[in-house]
Structures are given as structure tokens and as C-alpha cells.
């Protein structure tokens, strides 16, 4: 079919990719063979061998539950990336797999390029031109590092380092962002990367999604969890065609939204707006789409609701519906990337056999949804002219990459504390924000504000007072929070008294502030909502969620309170 209404300057090309999925799937051809043969890579979690060192009582809890795991999780070549063995041992395996998969994508693009453009870095005008967006949600490794004395524990387990390490390794100075919207992380990261390319914030973007199951506790009784990593390199289509890149697919449009109000926080609703928004962004009709890669986790209610929403939009087309999760399990934060690859594999083989002309394309859509309702929908195209003969040689293995067994850190019973002392803030000279030259664009107004910081800082006035006076708002860790005697005993003989004192100090909220102070305006709708929600929160709920809820509603209350009579207070 021909699509002339799309905006070619807005299209984003996928110029390379790297992947590692269960079943030793290392290329798009491997994935297609798995899809074609309807193979399942699932296995019994208690028999997989990864956790064979654990006690039988622990393994009995996951007996009969299915997982799809990648091979050789502990194999890594730190020297290839200029990383010491001691640092590699404290690195989250998610970070290791990301480095490998992105490197495979970089090697792939060099393989595809012509001789005169083999050096990827030499074709870049500067280091600012490449950005990195990573979809990742697992913080499991942080708990495994508790009690570790390694100097690399902080960077090894931090979620934000996953993207920053990639940029650091290659000297890239574009945005390095980790996106955590759980199951929709990958597609949300892809959406943000496309937006950055379209707004000329960067010339190239690396997008990846990764998810691993590091302990039997991550095995689900409701669905078959999978693991793996996928990465793509994106450029604006016009730039890719100018540079002679091989184009694996074209991102025509995307959208991200929130499910909104439903029966419960985790109950899916029939939300069709994100699908329509993505189609509108792509400039195509629902009838033009021939395949939809559904989120489809295998739950009876969730799949039924998703199918109902998709059919309401794609009802006029003979669209095929499927999900790669039936083959490799649910990859959670990497699920969107796996779905994108499955859609690309299907489109490329369909384009090769359909007899479509050079200017025609086949369209597919990919859906993702998180537990808390973050939605993403992407429209991707494969053009017949991108099927060259012979096709590019797939890079399944990185040249000169020699992985060795590098065990990752296992769980420790004791908690680790940050050995960082935050000095009192110093007031800086105020700068007029309106004095600098600005591009012609819309300004964004802050119409509501709320804060809760140590030292009783709850508004801009009290914050400014602290900054002016240089007040030190740090204190010894509250006895109600941690056992200070246990902290002292844990570090006894390891650090000097001054360092121990700094370990026991920090910027802490008071207990009543930590649990969220009552709204000042009791009759305010925000205060009523906060009181109602807090009444339902249990003692096991994360206090950061409670504090975030309080801060958000307080900002809304501040916005309402400052409204003028002419302002629509119902917004």
C-alpha cells in the first residue's frame, strides 16, 4: 500500500540493532525462526540451573513455574570495555548486558556501512550528537549489594548509571536517560528518543531495553517471565538515506499516555486514545496497519480488555494480532523492544514476499502497558526497497570479545549506608533568566509548587531563608529510622571516628514530615483526596509513595489557592 500523507522529515530510521533473548536469539533472523516455528523458550524455574546453589526449600517455592532465561548470564569481558575485574563483579548484570548489546548494534552498523564510512565515530561531527535512552525498571541488584564493601557498589547498582555508563564509554555528551515505567519502559524510551531527534536535540540516538531475573523471587506464578536485552540505533530518515545507512525499519509515529481512572490502580481500562494518538502522529489510518504486536501478558482479563481496545480502533482493517511473549516470555521493561523486533521481523519478511513496490510500505503497531497504567503505542514501517540483495550480514558475536566467568554479587544481609556528607548550601548570585538569548518557542509557566525538605523547608520562603543563612539542616540519623548502635558496630574498626560520624549524619525529614503533614486547607479537595487515600495505605506501603502523593496534591492545592477569579479552577 502507498502512504503519501506521512511527513518524511518526521520519520525516524532504525539503522542498526542488537539483541539477546532466550533461546540463544542473537539476530532478527533467529527471532523470526523462533516465531515461525512457534517455539517456546520457557522452562521450569526449579530446573533451570541458575539457582542450583540455593537450598531445596527455596527452589521448591518456584517448582512448576515457567521462566525464559538467557544463556551465560555470568559471562562478560570487562577488559573489552576498559573495566577492571573488581568493578565488573559489582556491576549489575543489567549494565553488563546493556554494554554487550549496544556494542553489538555498533558493530552491526559498521558491518552494514560502506568501506568509506566504516568508522562510526568519524562520521559524527561532535560528541554531543548521540543520546542514550534506556528502558529499565529492576532495582533487584541494589538489594543484593547491601552490605558490600566494594567502592563500586554505588555505581554498580544505581539505575541511572545504566545509561550514563554507555555514554561515558563512547564519549557521547547527548542526553543519557533511564526510563522506568515498568512494562512500557522500552517503548516510552523509544518515544522520547524520537522526540529528541525530531526536535534536533541530537543527530543519533541509542535506545535499549533490558530486564533480568536475578533470583527465584523474581519468578511469577501468574505469567511466564522472560529476560533479555534489545537495542536500536536511530537517525532521522533523511540523514540515514543521505549517509547510505541500511534501514531496518522506520518509526512513523508514537504516543504515550496514562490509563487514567479505572476500577483499581492496576486494573486495565479500555483506553483507545493512545492508539489513535500514535496513528495521528504517524499520519496514517488504522486501515493501513496490517499487524499489531499486542502487550498480551497472558492474563485472561488484561488480554481481553486490550483486545477490545485494539479492535475498537482497528476494526475496519484485516489486522493480524500477536505477541512475542508466547515465545520468549514477558520481558517487562524490555518487552516493548522485543515486541518492536517481532514486528520488524514480520514486516521485513512480509515486504520481501508481497511484491510491494519501492515506494510502498507495510505498517505495524506495537503496544505496551505498565502495571500502573502507563501506555505506549508505536507505528513502524518496513519498506520493500530496504530489502537489499544480499541482506546485511548479521553480527551475532562481537569481534575480539572474549567473555570470561565474572560472578555477580549475591545478596548480603546487612544494609550499606552512603558515606557522603552534604555540606551546608551556599547562596549563589542570582542570575536574570530573561537576560539570555532564547529561541522562538513557547515558555512554560510553573503555576503550582510544593516541597518538603530537611529543616522544615516547606515553601520557597523557608528554602530561601536556609540558603541565605547557610543553615546546616543535617542531623544524626533518627533513632526511629535506623539502629545507630548497629551502624556503629557494623563499621567498627573499618573507619575512623570522623568518618563514622559522617556516616551517621545526613539530611533527614522528621517523622511527621516523612508521613506527610496534613493539608493546611482542610476543606480543599486535594486535602480530602490525600486523607482518603492515606486511610487506605497500609503500613507496608512505600513511604516515598505517600510523600510523593502529598507533594503532588499540595502543589495542586497551591495552584488552586493562587487562582484569580478569571481562572478556570476546574482544570
Amino acid at each position: 500500500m502507498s502512504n503519501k500523507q506521512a511527513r518524511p522529515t518526521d520519520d525516524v530510521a532504525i539503522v542498526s540493532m542488537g539483541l539477546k533473548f532466550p533461546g540463544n536469539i542473537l539476530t532478527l533472523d533467529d527471532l523470526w525462526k523462533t516465531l515461525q516455528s512457534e517455539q517456546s523458550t520457557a522452562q521450569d524455574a526449579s530446573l533451570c540451573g541458575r539457582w542450583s546453589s540455593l537450598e531445596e526449600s527455596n527452589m521448591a517455592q518456584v517448582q512448576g513455574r515457567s521462566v525464559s532465561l538467557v544463556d551465560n548470564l555470568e559471562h562478560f569481558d570487562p577488559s573489552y570495555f576498559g573495566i577492571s575485574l573488581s568493578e565488573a563483579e559489582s556491576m549489575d548484570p543489567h549494565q553488563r548486558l546493556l554494554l554487550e548489546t549496544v556494542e553489538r548494534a555498533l558493530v552491526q552498523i559498521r558491518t552494514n556501512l560502506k568501506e568509506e564510512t566504516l568508522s562510526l565515530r568519524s562520521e559524527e561531527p561532535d560528541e554531543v550528537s548521540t543520546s542514550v535512552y534506556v528502558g529499565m525498571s529492576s532495582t533487584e541488584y541494589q538489594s543484593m549489594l547491601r552490605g558490600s564493601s566494594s567502592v563500586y557498589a554505588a555505581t554498580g547498582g544505581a539505575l541511572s548509571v545504566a545509561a550514563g555508563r554507555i555514554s561515558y564509554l563512547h564519549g557521547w555528551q547527548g542526553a543519557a536517560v533511564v526510563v522506568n515505567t515498568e512494562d512500557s519502559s522500552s517503548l516510552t524510551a523509544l518515544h522520547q528518543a524520537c522526540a529528541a531527534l525530531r526536535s534536533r536535540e541530537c543527530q543519533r540516538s541509542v535506545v535499549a531495553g533490558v530486564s533480568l531475573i536475578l533470583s527465584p523471587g523474581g519468578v511469577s506464578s501468574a505469567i511466564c517471565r522472560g529476560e533479555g536485552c534489545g537495542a536500536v540505533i536511530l537517525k532521522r530518515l533523511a540523514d540515514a538515506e543521505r549517509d547510505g545507512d541500511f534501514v531496518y525499519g522506520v518509526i512513523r509515529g508514537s504516543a504515550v499516555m496514562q490509563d487514567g481512572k479505572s476500577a483499581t490502580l492496576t486494573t486495565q481500562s479500555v483506553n483507545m486514545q493512545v492508539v489513535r494518538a500514535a496513528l495521528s502522529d504517524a499520519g496514517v489510518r488504522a486501515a493501513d496497519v496490517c499487524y499489531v504486536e499486542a502487550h498480551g501478558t497472558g492474563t485472561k482479563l488484561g488480554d481481553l480488555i486490550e483486545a477490545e481496545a485494539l479492535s475498537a480502533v482497528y476494526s475496519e482493517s484485516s489486522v493480524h494480532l500477536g505477541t512475542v511473549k508466547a515465545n520468549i516470555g514477558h520481558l517487562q521493561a524490555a518487552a516493548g523492544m522485543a515486541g518492536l523486533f517481532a514486528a520488524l521481523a514480520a514486516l521485513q519478511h512480509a515486504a520481501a514476499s508481497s511484491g510491494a513496490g519501492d515506494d510502498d510500505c507495510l505498517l505495524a503497531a506495537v503496544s505496551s502497558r505498565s502495571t500502573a497504567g502507563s501506555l505506549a503505542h508505536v507505528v513502524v514501517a518496513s519498506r520493500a526497497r530496504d530489502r537489499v540483495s544480499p541482506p546485511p550480514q548479521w553480527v551475532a558475536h562481537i569481534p575480539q570479545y572474549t567473555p570470561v566467568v565474572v560472578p555477580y554479587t549475591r545478596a548480603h544481609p546487612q544494609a550499606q549506608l552512603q558515606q557522603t556528607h552534604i555540606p551546608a548550601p551556599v547562596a549563589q548570585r542570582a542570575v536574570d533568566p530573561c537576560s539570555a538569548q532564547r529561541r522562538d518557542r513557547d515558555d512554560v509557566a510553573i503555576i503550582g509548587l510544593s516541597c518538603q525538605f530537611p529543616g522544615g523547608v516547606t515553601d520557597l520562603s523557608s528554602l530561601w531563608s536556609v540558603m541565605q543563612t547557610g543553615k546546616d539542616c543535617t542531623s544524626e540519623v533518627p533513632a526511629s529510622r535506623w539502629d545507630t548502635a548497629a551502624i556503629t558496630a557494623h563499621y567498627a574498626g573499618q573507619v575512623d571516628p570522623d568518618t563514622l560520624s559522617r556516616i551517621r549524619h545526613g539530611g533527614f525529614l522528621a517523622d511527621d514530615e516523612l508521613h506527610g503533614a496534613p493539608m493546611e486547607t482542610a476543606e480543599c479537595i486535594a486535602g480530602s483526596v490525600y486523607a482518603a487515600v492515606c486511610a487506605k495505605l497500609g503500613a507496608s506501603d512505600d513511604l516515598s509513595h505517600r510523600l510523593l502523593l502529598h507533594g503532588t496534591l499540595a502543589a495542586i492545592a497551591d495552584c488552586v489557592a493562587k487562582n484569580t477569579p478569571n481562572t478556570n479552577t476546574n482544570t
Side-chain angles (χ1 to χ4, degrees):
M1 80 201 68
S2 179
N3 275 290
K4 301 294 185 181
Q5 66 266 48
R7 299 157 295 173
T9 55
D10 283 343
D11 288 343
V12 174
I14 300 172
V15 297
S16 189
M17 59 178 67
L19 59 151
K20 184 173 184 178
F21 295 144
N24 199 33
I25 296 174
L26 300 175
T27 70
L28 207 61
D29 286 348
D30 292 340
L31 180 60
W32 177 246
K33 291 174 183 176
T34 301
L35 293 170
Q36 261 196 325
S37 62
E38 299 183 359
Q39 285 182 314
S40 172
T41 58
Q43 56 184 314
D44 190 315
S46 64
L47 303 176
C48 67
R50 179 173 294 182
W51 305 296
S52 56
S53 61
L54 296 181
E55 296 180 2
E56 291 185 9
S57 57
N58 291 332
M59 294 309 300
Q61 297 176 10
V62 297
Q63 188 172 6
R65 297 183 183 181
S66 296
V67 289
S68 288
L69 307 177
V70 297
D71 298 328
N72 303 322
L73 185 60
E74 294 187 342
H75 288 204
F76 182 63
D77 184 0
S79 61
Y80 183 91
F81 300 107
I83 298 171
S84 68
L85 183 61
S86 57
E87 181 175 5
E89 289 175 344
S90 292
M91 280 176 60
D92 189 335
H94 288 83
Q95 293 185 26
R96 296 188 197 174
L97 189 55
L98 274 169
L99 289 179
E100 290 178 340
T101 309
V102 170
E103 184 65 19
R104 191 175 291 114
L106 293 173
V107 173
Q108 183 72 63
I109 197 173
R110 295 188 189 104
T111 302
N112 296 349
L113 288 173
K114 298 174 182 178
E115 189 68 30
E116 61 269 20
T117 55
L118 278 178
S119 175
L120 183 63
R121 295 184 188 179
S122 66
E123 70 171 347
E124 293 300 324
D126 55 59
E127 296 172 329
V128 184
S129 60
T130 301
S131 61
V132 178
Y133 292 85
V134 173
M136 177 176 166
S137 62
S138 174
T139 57
E140 185 179 13
Y141 199 65
Q142 292 180 8
S143 63
M144 291 183 172
L145 286 171
R146 288 175 185 166
S148 170
S149 58
S150 171
V151 296
Y152 301 110
T155 54
L159 205 64
S160 59
V161 174
R165 193 184 290 276
I166 296 170
S167 294
Y168 164 77
L169 177 66
H170 297 284
W172 298 332
Q173 296 177 15
V177 181
V178 173
V179 177
N180 179 6
T181 56
E182 291 184 323
D183 299 351
S184 59
S185 297
S186 290
L187 289 193
T188 303
L190 185 74
H191 173 79
Q192 292 185 0
C194 290
L197 284 165
R198 289 168 174 165
S199 63
R200 277 28 183 199
E201 293 178 25
C202 58
Q203 293 186 24
R204 186 183 62 194
S205 188
V206 176
V207 185
V210 62
S211 182
L212 294 172
I213 308 169
L214 301 181
S215 71
V219 179
S220 172
S221 60
I223 60 173
C224 174
R225 278 196 60 189
E227 61 178 14
C229 183
V232 293
I233 298 178
L234 307 178
K235 294 172 74 171
R236 288 181 289 273
L237 180 58
D239 293 346
E241 291 177 334
R242 177 201 64 204
D243 298 337
D245 291 302
F246 179 80
V247 178
Y248 292 88
V250 179
I251 307 297
R252 296 289 294 271
S254 61
V256 295
M257 286 186 178
Q258 166 65 23
D259 219 1
K261 187 69 175 178
S262 55
T264 67
L265 174 65
T266 58
T267 301
Q268 188 172 343
S269 66
V270 185
N271 190 321
M272 300 168 288
Q273 297 306 314
V274 69
V275 180
R276 292 184 174 129
L279 292 171
S280 176
D281 185 53
V284 300
R285 303 167 302 162
D288 296 330
V289 176
C290 63
Y291 175 70
V292 175
E293 174 70 23
H295 181 58
T297 59
T299 58
K300 292 181 180 179
L301 179 60
D303 288 2
L304 183 63
I305 294 174
E306 182 184 15
E308 184 179 345
L310 292 173
S311 63
V313 179
Y314 293 107
S315 57
E316 296 182 5
S317 60
S318 299
V319 65
H320 296 274
L321 184 66
T323 176
V324 71
K325 294 179 180 66
N327 305 91
I328 61 174
H330 181 13
L331 271 62
Q332 296 195 305
M337 196 59 67
L340 175 66
F341 287 169
L344 286 172
L347 285 181
Q348 286 195 3
H349 285 80
S353 59
S354 65
D358 285 350
D359 293 327
D360 291 343
C361 69
L362 297 174
L363 295 172
V366 187
S367 276
S368 276
R369 180 193 186 276
S370 76
T371 304
S374 293
L375 308 169
H377 201 74
V378 173
V379 179
V380 62
S382 176
R383 305 174 302 177
R385 60 175 157 169
D386 296 325
R387 294 298 299 172
V388 297
S389 182
Q393 179 183 357
W394 278 106
V395 175
H397 303 285
I398 304 169
Q400 300 179 335
Y401 184 78
T402 310
V404 295
V405 175
V406 184
Y408 54 87
T409 302
R410 305 298 181 175
H412 288 273
Q414 295 174 314
Q416 180 193 22
L417 300 177
Q418 292 288 343
Q419 301 185 31
T420 305
H421 175 66
I422 303 175
V426 179
Q428 302 291 327
R429 178 175 61 86
V431 178
D432 180 8
C434 300
S435 62
Q437 270 191 331
R438 307 224 307 236
R439 291 181 293 170
D440 183 19
R441 62 185 182 191
D442 293 336
D443 289 338
V444 178
I446 301 173
I447 61 174
L449 184 145
S450 137
C451 61
Q452 191 84 55
F453 299 139
V457 175
T458 57
D459 53 29
L460 290 182
S461 177
S462 55
L463 178 60
W464 178 243
S465 176
V466 167
M467 295 172 67
Q468 270 193 317
T469 61
K471 177 183 176 183
D472 185 353
C473 296
T474 62
S475 63
E476 185 171 279
V477 56
S480 59
R481 198 82 57 83
W482 295 318
D483 186 344
T484 53
I487 296 173
T488 303
H490 176 69
Y491 286 99
Q494 300 182 41
V495 296
D496 58 73
D498 288 341
T499 301
L500 179 60
S501 177
R502 288 197 295 271
I503 291 174
R504 292 171 50 166
H505 280 73
F508 300 99
L509 292 175
D511 286 348
D512 60 335
E513 295 172 330
L514 189 65
H515 289 78
M519 296 288 182
E520 291 186 7
T521 311
E523 64 272 19
C524 172
I525 181 63
S528 302
V529 171
Y530 180 69
V533 173
C534 283
K536 296 182 178 180
L537 291 178
S540 62
D541 283 278
D542 191 335
L543 288 176
S544 61
H545 293 178
R546 187 189 298 264
L547 197 61
L548 180 62
L549 172 66
H550 180 276
T552 303
L553 293 174
I556 294 173
D558 180 64
C559 173
V560 173
K562 288 183 171 60
N563 272 324
T564 62
N566 294 328
T567 303
N568 180 8
T569 58
N570 294 322
T571 303

